Amino acid sequence: SQKDEHYLIGVSQCSEDEWRTQMNKEITREALFYPQAEVKIKTAKDDNRKQIEDIKEFIREGVDLLVVAPNEADAIAPIIEEVFDAGIPVVLVDRKIHSEKYTAYVGADNYEIGKRVGTYIANRLRGKGQIVEITGLKGSTPAVERHRGMMESLAETPDIKIIATADAKWFQQDAEKAVDSILPQHKQIDLIFAQNDRMAIGAYRSAARQGKTKDIAFVGIDAVWSEGYGVDRVAAGELDATFIYPTGGDRVIQVAMAILQGKPYVRDTNLSTALVNRSNARIMQMQTEHILQLDQKIEILDNQLDAYFLRYSAQRMFLYACIII
Ligand code: FRU
């Protein structure tokens, strides 16, 4: 019956960073609206082997549904297919696998984001210039798709040339190191596109150390709005622009619960993106600040409800005891 429903949802995250922290918070909060749902989150810290272990552990723990952001597509696909074949629904988030063995996907269209980045670069440089691309982890699908999308739109502007690329695996430090060696090798660099903000910040820091930030525009992706991250850096004038890579944790839980409760759901949910530049960065921060306050109120309400229920059941026990006596 409805009353006995209990669903264990296992969330296997590939990494641990501000973007995923945001998503995990949304997941946990949305789950508050489904008393039948219990969510467990594990983080593989960018290690394929750890992620496979995490997923195996989830199977042993008897999860009813697996949510997974696969670190690298080919390495994680076999265990995901195993889960799917065992009849456990799989919701892919943010990163994908090259297989149809999944129940639903929730995330942005990274190819589309790449295309928008390309168009932005073409406009920003008025169709001519030298750029550097810092890519994310090669085996992860967003890295491949963002690059493909960007190349697709830059095909229309042959005077924009990619003069250097480096794989910084989504990490700030790796990007900083890569740009340390790229910058001295080239006289003219007009723009550095890094496939996420963390790497864009790393690139900026390297350029700052070399006294070269003035002539270079730095573009990233993610637009995490909290202090010190993407949107903040755009507002501060360090990054030229970034694109929202929506975390969508609430949608993840809504889709997961629809699957578990046999309700209709969309197989591929494409979350949308938007450009953040100097003209809207502050507004975005103000609005998200406001949303954060509302989020906190929801959590306070939830705690209060728990306290009320505790008191209520204590009083009821007391009442029963009185009647029996
Ligand atoms: C977070 C992250 C983001 C990036 C995404 C790609 O873990 O590295 O910065 O946009 O993953 O999957």
Side-chain angles (χ1 to χ4, degrees):
S1 78
Q2 288 278 80
K3 241 177 114 191
D4 301 328
E5 276 181 9
H6 175 262
Y7 299 113
L8 181 56
I9 299 173
V11 179
S12 168
Q13 290 284 15
C14 50
S15 322
E16 201 170 44
D17 49 66
E18 63 287 352
W19 186 85
R20 275 175 216 283
T21 301
Q22 175 65 31
M23 191 205 277
N24 291 344
K25 270 191 202 155
E26 292 161 356
I27 286 176
T28 314
R29 187 173 337 102
E30 188 66 18
L32 293 177
F33 294 93
Y34 300 90
Q36 323 90 313
E38 183 192 346
V39 176
K40 279 192 182 172
I41 302 176
K42 294 187 201 285
T43 299
K45 300 190 178 160
D46 312 288
D47 181 343
N48 291 331
R49 268 203 259 155
K50 165 100 168 62
Q51 188 160 36
I52 293 168
E53 273 317 304
D54 285 351
I55 295 173
K56 284 185 178 163
E57 211 170 284
F58 273 144
I59 300 173
R60 285 196 294 272
E61 289 168 2
V63 292
D64 298 297
L65 181 144
L66 175 71
V67 172
V68 53
N71 189 46
E72 289 191 282
D74 293 341
I76 310 300
I79 185 75
I80 291 180
E81 294 186 324
E82 218 178 292
V83 172
F84 183 85
D85 285 338
I88 302 169
V90 175
V91 178
L92 296 176
V93 293
D94 141 58
R95 301 185 187 180
K96 295 181 173 173
I97 50 170
H98 308 292
S99 162
E100 280 303 306
K101 292 194 172 178
Y102 68 92
T103 316
Y105 170 76
V106 178
D109 180 338
N110 281 293
Y111 174 72
E112 202 48 47
I113 295 180
K115 270 175 54 175
R116 291 188 59 165
V117 169
T119 310
Y120 179 80
I121 294 173
N123 288 332
R124 180 72 173 69
L125 301 182
R126 297 203 182 83
K128 190 173 173 4
Q130 314 225 68
I131 69 173
V132 171
E133 188 189 20
I134 309 291
T135 57
L137 184 66
K138 279 238 161 63
S140 64
T141 55
V144 178
E145 290 169 4
R146 287 174 191 180
H147 173 73
R148 256 201 322 123
M150 182 193 66
M151 295 309 280
E152 173 77 30
S153 43
L154 286 184
E156 288 163 28
T157 44
D159 287 339
I160 292 181
K161 304 230 156 43
I162 301 182
I163 55 166
T165 61
D167 177 356
K169 306 194 187 85
W170 304 119
F171 299 139
Q172 177 171 324
Q173 265 199 343
D174 293 49
E176 196 168 337
K177 268 199 212 130
V179 175
D180 277 353
S181 60
I182 290 171
L183 276 192
Q185 291 174 36
H186 302 275
K187 258 220 225 86
Q188 177 75 28
I189 293 172
D190 302 297
L191 185 145
I192 298 182
F193 163 52
Q195 291 187 344
N196 73 3
D197 289 344
R198 234 171 313 132
M199 298 189 295
I201 291 165
Y204 177 87
R205 284 172 58 144
S206 166
R209 266 192 288 103
Q210 301 179 58
K212 288 183 181 166
T213 53
K214 277 228 179 69
D215 310 318
I216 308 173
F218 299 84
V219 175
I221 292 175
D222 276 349
V224 169
W225 54 273
S226 44
E227 212 181 321
Y229 298 113
V231 178
D232 209 20
R233 302 297 174 123
V234 171
E238 293 180 6
L239 301 189
D240 179 65
T242 180
F243 288 79
I244 296 178
Y245 189 49
T247 39
D250 46 350
R251 284 294 272 284
V252 173
I253 289 299
Q254 287 160 16
V255 170
M257 287 309 292
I259 294 168
L260 286 167
Q261 298 183 311
K263 293 181 181 159
Y265 63 92
V266 179
R267 187 170 189 234
D268 290 283
T269 300
N270 276 323
L271 306 170
S272 48
T273 183
L275 169 72
V276 179
N277 60 14
R278 243 187 144 163
S279 71
N280 62 5
R282 280 281 170 241
I283 296 176
M284 187 179 159
Q285 274 184 312
M286 279 167 59
Q287 303 235 333
T288 28
E289 193 59 44
H290 184 65
I291 293 171
L292 181 74
Q293 285 165 6
L294 293 178
D295 282 348
Q296 282 164 350
K297 284 187 182 166
I298 292 176
E299 269 153 36
I300 291 170
L301 271 181
D302 182 66
N303 288 338
Q304 280 180 354
L305 269 179
D306 283 350
Y308 285 139
F309 277 126
L310 218 75
R311 228 162 62 198
Y312 168 71
S313 54
Q315 282 170 353
R316 213 171 49 172
M317 291 283 282
F318 177 70
L319 206 72
Y320 283 153
C322 290
I323 293 170
I324 292 167
I325 290 165

